[in-house]
Amino acid sequence: MALERSNEELEELYLLERCFPEAEKLKREKRLLSQWKHYIQCGGSPDPSISQEINTFISLWKEETNETFEAVIAKSKLVLNLIERLKLILLETPPYDLQDKNIAQYQGSILELQELLHLKFNIATEILLRQASTLADLDSGNMEKVIQDENVTLYVWANLKKNPRYRSVRFSETQIGFEIPRILATSDIALRLLHTHYDHVTPLRPVPAASQENTSTVTPFVKGEVKSVEAAISKNLQEECKQQENEPHSVHEEETKVMEEQDDTERQTEEPEATKCDLEMKLLSETVSAAQMLLLENACEKPYSFEDPEVDLYQFTTLGGVYHLDILELPPQCKPVKGWMIVEILKEGLQKYVYPPETTEDFEMENAFPPIEVMLKVHENVIFFEDPMVARWDAEGKHWKTDGISNVSYQPEDRLITFSLETFGPVTLIQDAHVNMPYQSWELRPLDVNKVLLTVTTVFTEIQIQIKENLCKLASIKLNNKRHSSALEEKWMSPVSFIIALKEAGLNIFPTGHSHFYVVTNYKLPLVEMKAYRQMALLSSAFAFSWSRWNTECDPKNVVFKVREHLTKEEPSQNPNWNFLMFSGDRAQSLKINESSEAFSKALKEETEFHSTLYHMVKDFASKEAMEKVRLSSCQFIDSVCHLLLSTRLLSYS
């Protein structure tokens, strides 16, 4: 009897979980529709996923010359949009839908666009510096220029007067600038600080591939079944056609026969077509589950052994973009001659000034080339929970390093960071990627049908995320129990775009496959975690879920959390009546203990029984209204909630 009920429960759950492949079908259709809309709009913008279009765009832009900095900034908006779209394709497309050649094509296009954009900024800087003498400041005699945009800020200073006492360079009455040594103050140089609010320096991360172990068990069988059903349908139709060709009849008899045969054919093909549809959904369900499991996989070992002073980008993350610091040789200046402006254009283009020089034997002073003091402004939309660390780019080793940087000081009130740099080049600010892990607590609470609020509390912050249909937004942030405003608030985004935006803002609550090397975790079997998140998402329109301290006490084969029915839009009471559930993936039970119990116990709560699913477990104490709300939940909403739960891994990182 128990086995029979278990099978019935699992069958019902299987039907409910068809929402995941249904959501995936809708996402596929949306991707195709987006491509079609782009095609029929003919707006002049290339489709970055089509190699011919993106290659033509790159070639045509390479041919454009003498673009001003403002013109390049205007074009950069389109270029950055193309790069973002390519990155989203790689992240949003399930691994089983991505071929290796497509990954190589998209990543190659991203790198080409990034390199060309930076080259264009360099050429535009050279064009600007040729006019330095005509843009000189009347007081200092030197040229200073600041160009600001939402994605890029340029600070450039040209040393025209070469005054040895002019050592302190500040831009536009700000504290941003440099303290330069005497040798630079007397040289034909320009200083450039190009702050790109994005990071095109850090190498692209490899795209995760679908695990063979997760996709190989049922998928080949299901694929075979789909093919056999297709063959059966085709064979039936062929046989019917042959019979019609070979048997002569009178016109009246043939018309009657054809009508009867069409009815028979329709009846015969309806069943195989329905079977084919079911099998295709089963195949899609298998592949969706494999992709979800991929989000929970822990790497067995670190991919690389990092040595000081190299920055481990699995442990740290760059924030606030990249500051390209350059000492440039001042190019020949424009000269007015008989109403014309004449300028010598160097064939080699913009040249960097080598500091310190490779040989210093000709210089008598011991400390003729001291480190240069740099003052930078931290991007206003980025949150640092600890003082930021400074890293410089090693072009030869292709990684970030922390050596060659000294005297770092940070003023959080003014968001200014000061440090001394031995050699110029790209620098960035880094933060521990796991500063907000493990979490202290979490809660998933319904706000309405197809609308929930996810609250994650860490040592430093409380982050509230709203999920509605297939979109997410940042509802609020608290720092030190005080509300903190963010540019991300009230911006609805797809789950993948939202996760990227939160990470770039410094609000990383999304572990990777390597995070367990840097964080003390509460390990749970990935399959148990996945089943729990899927079923929590199914119930999230009518039931609240929350953290329990007993989850750390039970073994990795089980997860423990609190659950209660929640139908009103009002805030929950101070002491809500929670049920404590333990779930192993194939068995759910209500526990006798509560949060204030002295010790953990697996004892079953009185007047309750075991179930095979969370859905049927909560059904025992749920109202009809609550279960109706669950049944009314949209597949896209359930899929979005599940994606956020899989990405935050609340049950193993709390």
Side-chain angles (χ1 to χ4, degrees):
M1 191 70 181
L3 181 61
E4 186 180 338
R5 190 185 70 174
S6 175
N7 290 334
E8 287 174 1
E9 290 181 350
L10 292 173
E11 283 175 18
E12 188 176 356
L13 178 68
Y14 174 75
L15 293 173
L16 289 167
E17 288 191 334
R18 282 176 70 106
C19 62
F20 294 111
E22 287 287 354
E24 186 54 43
K25 276 182 69 178
L26 289 172
K27 284 190 278 189
R28 283 181 177 179
E29 289 167 9
K30 186 181 177 183
R31 287 195 290 269
L32 291 171
L33 183 62
S34 176
Q35 285 182 326
W36 173 246
K37 281 183 177 178
H38 183 273
Y39 176 74
I40 60 175
Q41 278 174 352
C42 302
S45 169
D47 183 340
S49 64
I50 300 174
S51 59
Q52 294 92 333
E53 290 191 27
I54 198 70
N55 290 339
T56 301
F57 172 81
I58 290 170
S59 299
L60 290 173
W61 197 27
K62 281 179 179 177
E63 292 172 5
E64 293 180 29
T65 55
N66 297 323
E67 291 173 285
T68 63
F69 211 93
E70 289 82 357
V72 176
I73 282 179
K75 191 67 168 276
S76 72
K77 289 177 170 58
L78 172 58
V79 176
L80 292 171
N81 178 259
L82 294 173
I83 291 170
E84 184 181 349
R85 282 166 64 187
L86 284 167
K87 287 182 176 179
L88 278 176
I89 289 171
L90 289 169
L91 288 170
E92 289 186 334
T93 308
Y96 49 82
D97 278 349
L98 273 177
Q99 295 181 6
D100 290 342
K101 65 176 183 179
N102 296 126
I103 295 171
Q105 174 197 319
Y106 300 153
Q107 290 191 329
S109 297
I110 290 169
L111 292 173
E112 275 196 82
L113 288 167
Q114 289 177 346
E115 289 168 6
L116 182 56
L117 180 59
H118 194 66
L119 175 65
K120 288 287 184 177
F121 278 133
N122 284 343
I123 295 169
T125 301
E126 183 186 3
I127 292 169
L128 180 63
L129 287 174
R130 287 183 203 147
Q131 308 165 39
S133 56
T134 62
L135 300 171
D137 179 69
L138 293 175
D139 294 331
S140 67
N142 297 317
M143 179 271 236
E144 177 195 308
K145 185 79 171 176
V146 178
I147 302 175
Q148 285 187 307
D149 179 70
E150 59 181 320
N151 299 312
V152 178
T153 305
L154 171 74
Y155 303 91
V156 64
W157 176 81
N159 189 16
L160 300 171
K161 283 296 183 181
K162 295 184 280 295
N163 184 345
R165 289 176 293 179
Y166 197 92
R167 306 277 194 88
S168 184
V169 179
R170 294 291 182 277
F171 291 102
S172 298
E173 300 178 356
T174 68
Q175 295 184 61
I176 300 167
F178 310 92
E179 292 291 334
I180 59 175
R182 180 186 176 86
I183 192 163
L184 291 182
T186 56
S187 300
D188 281 321
I189 58 135
L191 297 174
R192 181 181 73 168
L193 163 54
L194 176 62
H195 180 199
T196 59
H197 303 168
Y198 49 82
D199 179 2
H200 286 177
V201 176
T202 304
L204 298 174
R205 285 280 179 93
V207 176
S211 171
Q212 289 298 315
E213 291 178 11
N214 292 337
T215 56
S216 62
T217 52
V218 184
T219 302
F221 169 75
V222 179
K223 282 181 177 176
E225 287 293 304
V226 171
K227 286 180 180 177
S228 65
V229 171
E230 285 176 341
I233 295 168
S234 177
K235 188 177 178 182
N236 284 343
L237 292 171
Q238 286 173 8
E239 286 176 358
E240 293 298 331
C241 290
K242 282 181 182 177
Q243 285 176 10
Q244 289 174 27
E245 287 174 7
N246 296 334
E247 296 178 15
H249 301 280
S250 67
V251 175
H252 178 72
E253 287 175 344
E254 189 160 334
E255 285 180 357
T256 308
K257 184 91 173 180
V258 166
M259 293 296 291
E260 289 173 357
E261 284 175 349
Q262 281 180 349
D263 290 340
D264 291 341
T265 302
E266 284 175 11
R267 281 194 295 269
Q268 287 170 9
T269 54
E270 272 175 10
E271 270 189 53
E273 282 288 356
T275 307
K276 179 190 170 187
C277 183
D278 286 342
L279 288 169
E280 282 179 343
M281 287 300 288
K282 188 174 182 181
L283 172 60
L284 189 55
S285 180
E286 293 286 337
T287 48
V288 167
S289 296
Q292 290 175 340
M293 279 293 287
L294 198 62
L295 292 171
L296 300 175
E297 278 188 359
N298 286 335
C300 297
E301 56 184 21
K302 291 184 183 180
Y304 179 71
S305 179
F306 295 89
E307 297 179 4
D308 284 341
E310 184 180 347
V311 176
D312 179 356
L313 288 176
Y314 289 96
Q315 181 179 5
F316 296 95
T317 184
T318 64
L319 288 178
V322 176
Y323 302 85
H324 297 265
L325 304 174
D326 297 293
I327 307 173
L328 305 168
E329 292 182 2
L330 202 58
Q333 297 298 294
C334 295
K335 295 178 182 177
V337 177
K338 296 181 180 180
W340 293 81
M341 293 297 288
I342 297 177
V343 63
E344 178 189 355
I345 298 176
L346 301 176
K347 186 179 179 181
E348 58 270 20
L350 194 65
Q351 294 294 300
K352 290 188 178 181
Y353 181 93
V354 180
Y355 179 91
E358 294 176 3
T359 57
T360 57
E361 295 173 1
D362 299 336
F363 299 90
E364 297 177 3
M365 294 173 61
E366 277 187 26
N367 200 21
F369 305 98
I372 299 170
E373 188 176 295
V374 182
M375 286 136 284
L376 302 176
K377 186 78 176 278
V378 177
H379 196 293
E380 60 184 1
N381 293 335
V382 172
I383 297 174
F384 281 93
F385 296 97
E386 298 172 337
D387 285 358
M389 294 176 280
V390 184
R392 66 175 183 87
W393 180 247
D394 180 355
E396 188 178 337
K398 302 290 182 188
H399 50 238
W400 294 103
K401 299 176 76 172
T402 53
D403 63 343
I405 301 163
S406 56
N407 304 322
V408 181
S409 67
Y410 180 55
Q411 301 171 39
E413 299 82 13
D414 302 319
R415 298 182 70 81
L416 281 171
I417 189 161
T418 306
F419 54 92
S420 297
L421 198 60
E422 291 178 6
T423 57
F424 267 29
V427 300
T428 191
L429 305 180
I430 59 174
Q431 177 172 258
D432 187 345
H434 309 96
V435 70
N436 283 309
M437 300 178 205
Y439 322 125
Q440 291 188 319
S441 64
W442 58 269
E443 183 183 72
L444 181 69
R445 176 164 55 87
L447 299 175
D448 206 341
V449 175
N450 299 328
K451 192 175 182 181
V452 297
L453 183 72
L454 174 62
T455 304
V456 180
T457 306
T458 75
V459 172
F460 295 101
T461 183
E462 179 189 275
I463 301 171
Q464 290 195 324
I465 300 166
Q466 266 192 39
I467 307 166
K468 180 178 71 173
E469 293 292 342
N470 60 336
L471 298 172
C472 308
K473 77 169 183 179
L474 183 64
S476 72
I477 315 170
K478 284 183 182 177
L479 300 178
N480 300 319
N481 295 320
K482 292 180 182 177
R483 180 75 182 262
H484 178 84
S485 61
S486 169
L488 293 177
E489 288 183 59
E490 306 308 318
K491 287 185 180 179
W492 290 100
M493 291 175 263
S494 70
V496 172
S497 298
F498 177 74
I499 289 169
I500 293 169
L502 241 61
K503 284 182 174 181
E504 289 177 348
L507 299 168
N508 184 19
I509 51 169
F510 308 101
T512 67
H514 297 88
S515 294
H516 63 284
F517 292 119
Y518 310 102
V519 182
V520 178
T521 64
N522 178 25
Y523 177 73
K524 301 295 177 183
L525 292 178
L527 186 61
V528 175
E529 259 195 283
M530 184 187 76
K531 287 183 176 181
Y533 296 143
R534 283 166 67 103
Q535 294 181 45
M536 286 163 68
L538 276 171
L539 297 161
S540 60
S541 273
F543 294 88
F545 296 87
S546 183
W547 167 88
S548 170
R549 71 187 182 102
W550 299 120
N551 189 43
T552 58
E553 299 293 324
C554 66
D555 57 81
K557 295 179 182 179
N558 290 283
V559 292
V560 175
F561 48 84
K562 297 182 289 190
V563 62
R564 63 184 174 83
E565 187 176 303
H566 184 88
L567 299 177
T568 63
K569 296 180 183 179
E570 298 173 4
E571 288 287 326
S573 60
Q574 289 294 321
N575 297 302
N577 186 24
W578 292 101
N579 290 281
F580 287 74
L581 300 189
M582 186 169 74
F583 184 55
S584 68
D586 52 18
R587 190 169 82 161
Q589 68 180 88
S590 189
L591 297 175
K592 190 176 182 179
I593 56 171
N594 57 39
E595 207 67 11
S596 57
S597 299
E598 292 184 2
F600 176 69
S601 170
K602 292 184 180 181
L604 194 67
K605 188 178 179 181
E606 294 88 347
E607 299 179 1
T608 64
E609 55 185 350
F610 294 104
H611 286 278
S612 297
T613 73
L614 290 177
Y615 176 83
H616 294 91
M617 186 72 246
V618 301
K619 201 174 177 182
D620 279 359
F621 57 80
S623 66
K624 288 183 179 179
E625 186 186 353
M627 299 314 292
E628 184 62 24
K629 282 186 99 173
V630 168
R631 282 187 286 272
L632 290 173
S633 300
S634 78
C635 62
Q636 288 183 303
F637 164 74
I638 295 168
D639 183 70
S640 297
V641 173
C642 185
H643 188 83
L644 261 291
L645 294 175
L646 289 163
S647 299
T648 49
R649 300 192 64 178
L650 302 171
L651 294 170
S652 56
Y653 277 80
S654 294

